[in-house]
Amino acid sequence: MAIRCAHENSNEIGVFASLTNAYCLTGVAGSENFYSVFESELIDHIPVIHSTIAGCRFVGRTTVGNRRGLLVPSTATDLELGHLRNSLPDAVVVQRVEERLSALGNVVACNDHVALVHPDIDRETEDIIADVLGVEVFRQTVAGQALVGSYSKFTNQGGMVHPRTTVEDIEELSSLLQIPLVAGTVNRGSDVLGGGMVVNDWSAFVGLDTTSTEISVIESIFQVGTAKQNSSNIVQNMRSSLIDQLS
């Protein structure tokens, strides 16, 4: 089940939260509402951690991670780094990265096996991503956009890319990542997927403006909630309605 939520008045929840299969980070907010939405859904499975990076709450865009590790920008303070290391599971490696493109969440998209990165990212950063996160790294663009972390979102089950991505590009990315991909939107037509939602292998959180159609696509491709059972039925129904239209 994909859950709608908002950070104070913002639907861009992917800016203020980061979710993997091993942990969840949420930015410090004026009220506890945002944190408690994640906590109620995830606390039985993974830790949900209040955090800041360089004193700022937009932890979703400045950090990138998977179940093996978490990368933070060089602007993160020693205190913040210590807090993350103490709060995260022991198996998760926390590493600071000296990178010019410091909004790591915007320039890197990854799951537990593969990472897509901005074409201009430093060679050293590419090596750190491969080592700490234990992934294969590919320099790539999505629909001509270099900010792969902003315009694509994928887990080990499936992924979503910018709505203007061509069929050829989707097929190429899909074979690269070895998961099914679909072009789509969030928050009633927003193409900034990284900002509009956070997902892992069993749960999804989307901005408050996200329509029910967008949610059904998200649940289907990421195989979360009821869609796990229904995904084959949805595809079957879509196929039959298409065939009806064409015949």
Side-chain angles (χ1 to χ4, degrees):
M1 176 69 187
I3 296 162
R4 289 189 181 98
C5 59
H7 181 278
E8 292 172 1
N9 280 334
S10 173
N11 290 312
E12 302 295 320
I13 62 161
V15 173
F16 304 103
S18 176
L19 176 63
T20 72
N21 290 331
Y23 55 86
C24 175
L25 306 181
T26 66
V28 176
S31 76
E32 286 291 287
N33 294 359
F34 185 65
Y35 175 81
S36 57
V37 170
F38 287 90
E39 188 182 45
S40 62
E41 187 68 18
L42 301 170
I43 202 68
D44 293 340
H45 310 289
I46 55 175
V48 183
I49 300 154
H50 275 305
S51 54
T52 58
I53 297 292
C56 300
R57 58 177 73 170
F58 35 79
V59 294
R61 298 297 82 201
T62 48
T63 66
V64 67
N66 62 12
R67 68 182 168 83
R68 294 187 193 89
L70 175 69
L71 301 179
V72 299
S74 53
T75 50
T77 66
D78 292 342
L79 203 64
E80 288 165 341
L81 217 58
H83 167 63
L84 287 169
R85 285 191 174 126
N86 292 338
S87 308
L88 288 167
D90 293 341
V92 177
V93 180
V94 183
Q95 173 83 41
R96 196 190 260 138
V97 180
E98 299 283 338
E99 167 60 53
R100 183 175 53 88
L101 303 167
S102 61
L104 299 171
N106 286 338
V107 296
V108 182
C110 72
N111 60 15
D112 294 336
H113 309 293
V114 188
L116 302 182
V117 300
H118 190 294
D120 299 336
I121 213 162
D122 288 348
R123 178 76 203 165
E124 292 82 4
T125 308
E126 192 182 325
D127 293 341
I128 291 169
I129 291 167
D131 288 348
V132 174
L133 303 185
V135 292
E136 271 192 278
V137 181
F138 300 101
R139 290 174 188 258
Q140 201 72 34
T141 59
V142 174
Q145 306 278 357
L147 296 175
V148 289
S150 300
Y151 295 106
S152 67
K153 196 79 189 162
F154 54 91
T155 65
N156 301 327
Q157 315 280 359
M160 189 176 270
V161 293
H162 190 288
R164 297 220 172 134
T165 313
T166 63
V167 176
E168 291 80 11
D169 283 357
I170 290 175
E171 283 174 0
E172 184 191 336
L173 287 170
S174 187
S175 66
L176 207 60
L177 303 171
Q178 293 293 300
I179 52 171
L181 291 179
V182 68
T185 59
V186 71
N187 281 332
R188 199 171 294 160
S190 167
D191 52 20
V192 187
L193 303 169
M197 65 175 162
V198 290
V199 290
N200 67 9
D201 284 354
W202 70 86
S203 56
F205 298 84
V206 295
L208 219 50
D209 275 351
T210 307
T211 65
S212 55
T213 309
E214 287 170 337
I215 282 181
S216 69
V217 172
I218 288 164
E219 287 183 344
S220 175
I221 195 67
F222 291 114
Q223 295 176 30
V224 294
T226 53
K228 228 167 201 175
Q229 296 86 39
N230 295 344
S231 57
S232 57
N233 299 349
I234 291 169
V235 172
Q236 204 59 50
N237 294 342
M238 285 166 75
R239 278 202 190 117
S240 39
S241 64
L242 277 169
I243 290 162
D244 288 347
Q245 284 171 15
L246 291 168
S247 54

